[in-house]
Amino acid sequence: MKRILSITFLPASLTALLLLNSCRSPLELTSQHRTAEVTIDGNAKEWEGKTVVLSNYNATLGIQHDDEFLYLCFTTSDRQVQFQILAMGMTVWFDPEGKEKHSFGVRFPLGMEAPARMLPRPGQADVDFLGIALQRQRPELELIGPGQEQTMRGTIGQFAGVNVRLGRHQDVLVYELKVPLKLSSQYRWSIEAVPTNPLSVGLEANPFAPDRLPAAQRQGLPTSGGGRGRGRAGGGSPQGPAEQPDPLKVWARVSLSPAENSK
């Protein structure tokens, strides 16, 4: 099920956490022009008071911008969502037309080669899945677009202006991203945003379904059964018996507010 987010970021002195769910009608999201340095390091401390709560995913989302870049921070304590992101990879999509087209995307992390190995077997003691998975992540990302068939893979830091990191705070996964707003001789990959037009930002990650593996690889793993559900939040195995988790699919329509001194 797709969750459509529409939220308004208030000035820092008035910012409040908003509980959102998929039943509300979409509104506009206004990204505030940043007033402090944003460091892409997988630490969400500098995002305090600048995020909204995504209740369906036990997650938060924050977006800021300046004259050159858009900054995004996504955190989640939901172990199913963490497993989707770390094991299967996640793509952040941008559509400068404000729709939900996959115009330009940043895929990171790229996922694991053998995600089934991270799932606990029956009777196995609970392990620090998040810590182990973060240690195994490769420092690689993939840029997609324009058009989903145009891709380029490289290491973090290889593409000028694009920066992304994963981190953790206790049992919370932290994802931070920085992307150029406009094409230039310095930045060859960008959102190509038009400041006067809203743009759409989407986060997508596919669920891991053990029952799709070959029988030999499924032995001893929990199966998803026929139902669908969010599963247990914040604890237990990444995927429990008789559950088929929803994919992570969130879209926000974003307007970029001008800097205070330019109004």
Side-chain angles (χ1 to χ4, degrees):
M1 179 184 298
K2 182 188 301 181
R3 271 80 173 180
I4 300 177
L5 300 182
S6 285
I7 37 192
T8 299
F9 283 89
L10 303 176
S13 60
L14 300 176
T15 300
L17 292 178
L18 306 178
L19 292 175
L20 305 177
N21 56 58
S22 59
C23 298
R24 294 186 58 179
S25 299
L27 305 172
E28 296 295 331
L29 183 158
T30 300
S31 169
Q32 295 297 323
H33 200 283
R34 70 174 180 87
T35 56
E37 191 70 24
V38 178
T39 303
I40 306 301
D41 56 4
N43 188 327
K45 184 176 181 179
E46 60 197 338
W47 289 86
E48 292 181 2
K50 300 176 182 177
T51 63
V52 295
V53 174
L54 316 182
S55 57
N56 286 328
Y57 296 108
N58 292 324
T60 69
L61 175 67
I63 297 177
Q64 301 180 66
H65 70 282
D66 55 28
D67 293 339
E68 292 187 294
F69 302 102
L70 181 139
Y71 306 86
L72 182 148
C73 180
F74 174 81
T75 76
T76 179
S77 60
D78 189 307
R79 294 192 68 184
Q80 285 189 355
V81 177
Q82 291 175 356
F83 191 83
Q84 288 180 33
I85 293 171
L86 293 167
M88 307 305 293
M90 182 171 78
T91 304
V92 177
W93 292 105
F94 300 97
D95 178 11
E97 296 181 1
K99 300 176 182 178
E100 295 182 12
K101 297 179 181 178
H102 292 169
S103 300
F104 173 69
V106 179
R107 185 165 184 256
F108 176 84
L110 300 183
M112 298 177 180
E113 294 183 359
R117 296 178 184 176
M118 297 299 298
L119 288 174
R121 268 59 175 181
Q124 181 183 15
D126 196 17
V127 297
D128 182 13
F129 155 75
L130 181 56
I132 295 173
L134 284 172
Q135 290 177 3
R136 294 183 180 180
Q137 290 302 314
R138 296 166 291 173
E140 297 178 324
L141 72 156
E142 188 173 74
L143 302 184
I144 309 171
Q148 294 194 52
E149 296 183 359
Q150 300 180 23
T151 62
M152 182 170 294
R153 182 175 295 192
T155 57
I156 294 176
Q158 180 177 336
F159 305 108
V162 179
N163 196 4
V164 61
R165 289 290 189 281
L166 285 173
R168 73 179 296 181
H169 175 68
Q170 297 178 349
D171 290 329
V172 176
L173 177 68
V174 180
Y175 173 100
E176 282 192 296
L177 174 66
K178 170 185 174 183
V179 183
L181 286 169
K182 304 174 185 177
L183 285 173
S184 68
S185 58
Q186 184 178 3
Y187 305 127
R188 298 174 53 196
W189 298 272
S190 79
I191 300 171
E192 298 189 54
V194 179
T196 56
N197 295 339
L199 63 93
S200 290
V201 180
L203 289 77
E204 296 186 358
N206 292 323
F208 173 70
D211 51 1
R212 296 180 182 177
L213 293 171
Q217 297 181 34
R218 292 201 309 266
Q219 187 173 4
L221 294 177
T223 57
S224 61
R228 300 181 63 84
R230 290 297 317 128
R232 291 174 291 175
S237 63
Q239 178 167 330
E243 291 177 353
Q244 173 64 60
D246 291 332
L248 171 65
K249 195 164 188 177
V250 175
W251 281 89
R253 195 164 183 261
V254 185
S255 296
L256 306 179
S257 66
E260 288 293 330
N261 57 12
S262 65
K263 293 180 180 180

